């Protein structure tokens, strides 16, 4: 993995650890609970990706990722005690983590010659799966399953753009930035403007919902 992608992955781990710690804080978990939620949020997606691609799990190969995760989680605790973060801070942190991890996951799959479609799938898993585990452990409906949420869709589109730009011969760093920016902008726009996807429902379900 290039130095640039390593830096991006460390940044993604840190941001997702902050998002996990904030989610744990909203559930009033103890210190161990905060650390556990931060860890699974930061490492869950990359762990599943590496297992599916039959490669050494990234935080086993480089335990520094765990150190960064722990440090980010522990630094978040005093921050929220002395400065209440905005209500949407968790969503913003999660959006940035989604953008960073999606591109890293796609790039790792591409480096293994897994093909464009698999790269998009692996990028989406890397970006979204940690948040799924976090939400399940915190007894919340996972973000990607919430009604109309633009979440995994943002990851899919950003990773797809990365794959297309790479196929067109665009320099890797430019393609990485373009893909990550696409994910982040789509997700942040969805948060800011309450954008959502069309919701599918059966006629019978709609009739039951009618007053």
């Amino acid at each position: 993995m290039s130095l640039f992608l390593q830096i991006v992955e460390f940044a993604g781990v840190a941001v997702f650890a902050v998002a996990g710690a904030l989610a744990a804080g909203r559930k009033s978990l103890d210190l161990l609970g905060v650390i556990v939620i931060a860890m699974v949020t930061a490492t869950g997606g990359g762990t599943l990706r590496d297992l599916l691609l039959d490669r050494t799990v990234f935080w086993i190969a480089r335990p520094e990722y765990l150190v960064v995760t722990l440090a980010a989680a522990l630094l978040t605790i005093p921050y929220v005690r002395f400065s209440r973060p905005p209500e949407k801070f968790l969503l913003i942190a999660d959006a940035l983590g989604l953008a960073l991890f999606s591109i890293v996951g796609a790039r790792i799959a591409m480096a293994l010659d897994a093909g464009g479609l698999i790269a998009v799938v692996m990028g989406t898993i890397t970006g979204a799966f940690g948040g799924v585990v976090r939400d399940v452990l915190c007894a919340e409906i996972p973000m990607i399953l919430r009604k109309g949420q633009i979440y995994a869709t943002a990851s899919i589109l950003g990773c797809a753009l990365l794959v297309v730009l790479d196929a067109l011969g665009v320099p890797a760093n430019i393609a990485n930035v373009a893909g990550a920016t696409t994910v982040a902008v789509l997700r942040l726009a969805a948060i800011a403007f309450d954008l959502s996807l069309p919701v599918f429902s059966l006629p019978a379900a709609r009739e039951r919902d009618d007053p």
Side-chain angles (χ1 to χ4, degrees), residues 1 5 8-9 49 99-109 123 126:
M1 187 188 299
L5 285 182
V8 170
E9 190 160 35
R49 173 203 66 215
L100 296 172
F101 261 21
S102 294
I103 298 309
V104 170
R107 273 294 178 194
I108 287 174
T126 307

Side-chain angles (χ1 to χ4, degrees), residues 23 26-27 90-91 94 131-132 134-136 138-153 187 195-199:
R26 290 188 173 186
K27 293 295 182 177
L90 170 58
L91 295 176
D94 191 69
V132 171
R134 175 199 66 213
D135 291 341
V136 169
C138 290
E140 297 280 351
I141 298 174
M143 193 83 70
I144 63 172
L145 298 180
R146 295 179 194 175
K147 184 177 180 180
Q149 282 285 327
I150 296 178
Y151 190 80
T153 306
R187 181 61 190 139
L195 303 179
S196 63
L197 296 173
V199 176

Side-chain angles (χ1 to χ4, degrees), residues 5-165:
L5 285 182
Q6 287 181 23
I7 294 172
V8 170
E9 190 160 35
F10 273 112
V13 165
V15 172
F16 261 156
V18 171
L22 291 173
R26 290 188 173 186
K27 293 295 182 177
S28 300
L29 301 185
D30 61 17
L31 179 60
L32 178 60
V34 171
I35 292 173
V36 168
I37 298 300
M39 288 286 184
V40 298
T41 306
T43 64
T47 298
L48 180 58
R49 173 203 66 215
D50 290 341
L51 292 174
L52 290 174
L53 292 175
D54 195 27
R55 65 195 296 267
T56 303
V57 176
F58 74 104
W59 53 265
I60 293 177
R62 298 195 64 180
E64 307 96 283
Y65 287 108
L66 297 181
V67 176
V68 171
T69 302
L70 180 61
L74 294 178
L75 289 172
T76 303
I77 295 173
Y79 168 74
V80 298
R81 285 193 177 278
F82 294 105
S83 177
R84 181 177 177 83
E87 285 297 317
K88 291 187 176 180
F89 191 80
L90 170 58
L91 295 176
I92 294 171
D94 191 69
L96 296 177
L98 177 69
L100 296 172
F101 261 21
S102 294
I103 298 309
V104 170
R107 273 294 178 194
I108 287 174
M110 292 164 69
L112 296 175
D113 296 322
L117 178 59
I118 301 303
V120 172
V121 172
M122 289 299 137
T124 304
I125 287 174
T126 307
F129 188 72
V132 171
V133 178
R134 175 199 66 213
D135 291 341
V136 169
L137 291 178
C138 290
E140 297 280 351
I141 298 174
M143 193 83 70
I144 63 172
L145 298 180
R146 295 179 194 175
K147 184 177 180 180
Q149 282 285 327
I150 296 178
Y151 190 80
T153 306
S155 178
I156 291 169
L157 293 175
C159 291
L161 177 62
L162 170 65
V163 170
V164 170
L165 292 177

